[in-house]
Amino acid sequence: MNIPEDEAALIKRALCLAGRTLGEIAQELHLPVPKNITHAKGWTGQLIEKILGASAGSLAEPDFPHLGIELKTLPISSMGVVSETTYVCIVPLSEMNQATWKTSIVYAKLAHVLWVPIDITSPTLFHRRIGTPLLCDLPENDEALLQKDWEEFAELISLGKIESITAHQGTVLQIRPKAAHSRIKTAGIGPLGEPIQTLPRGFYLRKCFTQKIIKRYFVV
DNA sequence: AGATGATCATCT
DNA sequence: AGATGATCATCT
């Protein structure tokens, strides 16, 4: 699909997806629907990217760079409950001390998000239904929560404490592994300021955060 | 049962 | 290798 020229065009296109199944969208794009979700974890997100005309590629920038809008699908189980945490971006282990909240990748990605709820009640990808998409600017109070978590993580990482950070930390943002498997290593900074090799990590939004966002708009 | 740590597919 | 898209599966 071509790139939407402005925000209004993107929203219009996104709203057309409401109520449709992933199978219908895939057929429209002449794409096969994977049978096994375990081996197609990112398929839904990539399908929605294609139908909305998000710029392909794996760059560390929002999906619609000219609009500054990030696209996120949000899995919703029965009763309107967010069923998974939301990956935001990789943790830049070696450059964390150079960033401020406002210059961070996390802020760039979350300032404007087009949330696309996916009803995952059906176990088969084909029959899963798209909810009503929601374009959302980051409210000030949510930003304050994210900024606080981010700044605490930034300090720990700058002090070389990345290997002591667990998913238990952070009230709305958390850091968890982000790799094909647990033996993968990337460059980081150790406790003595020395270069180390450590597991790549990502920033994730806790469920409570995304649940709150959709609860503002949908009665459950 | 829910959350944490681990993992899967694809692209550049 | 490192980024994107995420969900799985084990542990508590």
Side-chain angles (χ1 to χ4, degrees):
Chain A
M1 202 63 74
N2 62 324
I3 296 170
E5 70 173 64
D6 56 24
E7 191 176 298
L10 174 60
I11 293 172
K12 186 178 173 188
R13 198 181 288 183
L15 288 175
C16 288
L17 301 179
R20 305 185 65 201
T21 65
L22 301 183
E24 288 167 9
I25 304 300
Q27 284 177 343
E28 192 176 312
L29 296 174
H30 307 290
L31 293 170
V33 180
K35 290 279 186 292
N36 186 345
I37 302 178
T38 305
H39 295 279
K41 293 180 184 176
W43 183 82
T44 301
Q46 285 155 353
L47 181 77
I48 303 300
E49 279 186 345
K50 288 193 184 86
I51 195 71
L52 292 180
S55 47
S58 46
L59 304 172
E61 60 181 22
D63 294 288
F64 300 94
H66 59 305
L67 305 177
I69 295 174
E70 173 73 8
L71 176 65
K72 287 288 175 205
T73 58
L74 197 56
I76 309 289
S77 60
S78 59
M79 308 304 291
V81 174
V82 172
S83 70
E84 290 287 354
T85 57
T86 302
Y87 170 69
V88 180
C89 61
I90 210 76
V91 179
L93 293 177
S94 299
E95 294 89 39
M96 203 64 181
N97 49 356
Q98 299 160 31
T100 62
W101 164 246
K102 287 285 189 185
T103 64
S104 68
I105 311 171
V106 175
Y107 179 77
K109 296 246 179 185
L110 297 181
H112 311 282
V113 180
L114 179 61
W115 298 99
V116 180
I118 307 292
D119 178 350
I120 62 159
T121 307
S122 169
T124 59
L125 283 172
F126 193 101
H127 294 108
R128 289 186 174 181
R129 209 168 285 278
I130 303 168
T132 302
L134 166 69
L135 181 62
C136 177
D137 290 348
L138 189 57
E140 274 181 31
N141 52 330
D142 282 357
E143 180 177 345
L145 296 173
L146 287 169
Q147 179 170 358
K148 181 171 175 295
D149 283 348
W150 185 90
E151 287 175 346
E152 287 178 9
F153 285 132
E155 174 160 21
L156 289 170
I157 292 165
S158 298
L159 293 172
K161 296 182 178 173
I162 181 60
E163 301 205 306
S164 68
I165 295 176
T166 75
H168 295 93
Q169 290 160 269
T171 59
V172 294
L173 195 64
Q174 64 180 174
I175 288 180
R176 305 214 308 277
K178 177 61 173 166
H181 53 77
S182 58
R183 284 101 57 205
I184 288 183
K185 301 290 181 188
T186 192
I189 301 166
L192 306 173
E194 79 285 18
I196 59 167
Q197 289 296 111
T198 188
L199 184 61
R201 324 291 166 105
F203 283 114
Y204 295 80
L205 295 175
R206 290 190 181 278
K207 291 190 234 176
C208 58
F209 187 85
T210 45
Q211 185 73 65
K212 201 169 64 175
I213 289 172
I214 61 159
K215 267 197 175 167
R216 295 194 188 112
Y217 294 86
F218 302 104
V219 180
V220 291

